[in-house]
Amino acid sequence: MKYRRIGDVEVSAIGLGAMPLSLPGRPDRERAIATIHAALDVGITLIDTADAYTTDADGPGHNEILVAEALRGRPEEVLVATKGGLLYRDGGPWDRNGTPAHLKKAARESRARLGVDAIGLYQFHRPDPGVPYEDSIGAIRELVDEGVIRMAGISNVTVAQIALADHVLGGRLVSVQNQFSPAYRSSQGELDYCVDHEIAFLPWSPLGGIGRGDEVFAAGSVFTEVALELDVSPQRVALAWELSLGHCVVPIPGASRPGTVTDSAGAAELVLSGDQKARLSAP
């Protein structure tokens, strides 16, 4: 496994997005735990979760509790990145709550569920149009100052919001988590900004998400062509391509089966030629 940095922490170049282990359609508990353990076994040291990864019946934090249980007794050094500011609703849309009071309460509840003294990385999940962005980030800053969280990140943001958040945090913004994949490249500007400013960029749904993967990895697509050339899966090619876009990029593909985790982790070691990278990057 190769490694990259989030703030002052070295993490695996590929993380695990744990969301599929808790939303409707999730695997049973045994397979969910086995999936997280498979990630650890192949050297993954970054797990992404959130208090909103749950169901109405379970209430906030199902995924955080699951991740904490899977990590119990494991000696590996793992950075658990969680998020607050969204409220899951069966059938959607998810509600937003970026008030300082909610974020401070949510962070402390996440810390308790994870069973840690301080959350390794806490990210504001999505801007709340009803709350000034600087107020929400101000709450995150106070959580860092109070030692509730070690590092601060943001998610689903624009370049302007990245700059504002870093300013409010006094230059302590360590990560940005936006949707980015071969099928969804509209966050290229945010990715480039993060690379230029040494901020980790964590693409979510890096394989296209539900409904787009078939299009990207269909027979005859450039990702499938390169996969055939390298004798690997097109999904592994996609993750390797994202890694090639900048030294601060750390994809967090979701998984609900151990085999998927193992394949994704292999992207960290996959070397693409200059010609292959150019073909994959073409619009």
Side-chain angles (χ1 to χ4, degrees), residues 127 133 137 154-166 173:
Y133 196 63
I137 301 303
I154 54 177
S155 184
N156 300 302
V157 289
T158 64
V159 167
Q161 288 167 331
I162 298 172
L164 177 57
D166 199 32
L173 180 70

Side-chain angles (χ1 to χ4, degrees), residues 235-256:
Q235 290 83 1
R236 189 181 298 189
V237 169
L239 295 173
W241 168 71
E242 289 168 21
L243 288 170
S244 76
L245 297 177
H247 66 284
C248 297
V249 178
V250 184
I252 47 172
S256 58

Side-chain angles (χ1 to χ4, degrees), residues 47-258:
I47 299 179
D48 179 76
T49 181
D51 61 359
Y53 298 162
T54 186
T55 66
D56 283 348
D58 291 306
H62 178 277
N63 200 243
E64 293 173 324
I65 294 169
L66 180 71
V67 168
E69 180 181 351
L71 293 179
R72 194 170 297 124
R74 303 285 294 207
E76 291 86 357
E77 290 295 324
V78 177
L79 176 63
V80 176
T82 193
K83 298 181 288 294
L86 277 186
L87 305 173
Y88 177 83
R89 295 286 179 264
D90 285 347
W94 296 8
D95 295 332
R96 306 186 194 191
N97 191 337
T99 63
H102 172 78
L103 290 172
K104 290 179 182 180
K105 179 175 181 289
R108 286 179 168 84
E109 291 175 348
S110 290
R111 179 177 63 173
R113 284 189 289 264
L114 292 171
V116 295
D117 294 329
I119 296 171
L121 173 59
Y122 193 73
Q123 303 160 103
F124 180 32
H125 208 148
R126 187 178 289 272
D128 181 346
V131 179
Y133 196 63
E134 57 268 33
D135 290 356
S136 299
I137 301 303
I140 304 296
R141 181 193 64 222
E142 292 177 16
L143 289 166
V144 175
D145 292 340
E146 295 166 7
V148 177
I149 66 178
R150 287 194 57 240
M151 298 187 295
I154 54 177
S155 184
N156 300 302
V157 289
T158 64
V159 167
Q161 288 167 331
I162 298 172
L164 177 57
D166 199 32
H167 172 73
V168 173
L169 288 164
R172 293 179 292 178
L173 180 70
V174 303
S175 68
V176 169
Q177 186 177 141
N178 273 18
Q179 184 176 8
F180 185 86
S181 72
Y184 190 96
R185 305 189 188 192
S186 63
S187 286
Q188 183 71 54
E190 288 76 23
L191 186 159
D192 293 340
Y193 183 93
C194 287
V195 171
D196 290 342
H197 291 80
E198 297 293 331
I199 299 169
F201 184 86
L202 283 53
W204 62 264
S205 287
L207 298 176
I210 298 172
R212 297 302 300 274
D214 290 346
E215 174 186 331
V216 174
F217 306 125
S221 76
V222 64
F223 285 86
T224 300
E225 291 175 356
V226 172
L228 290 171
E229 293 167 11
L230 298 173
D231 193 25
V232 297
S233 72
Q235 290 83 1
R236 189 181 298 189
V237 169
L239 295 173
W241 168 71
E242 289 168 21
L243 288 170
S244 76
L245 297 177
H247 66 284
C248 297
V249 178
V250 184
I252 47 172
S256 58
R257 297 188 301 273

Side-chain angles (χ1 to χ4, degrees), residues 12-31:
S12 54
I14 298 292
L16 170 65
M19 182 177 74
L21 303 177
S22 290
L23 296 189
R26 66 197 185 199
D28 61 31
R29 176 186 167 280
E30 182 179 359
R31 196 175 88 188

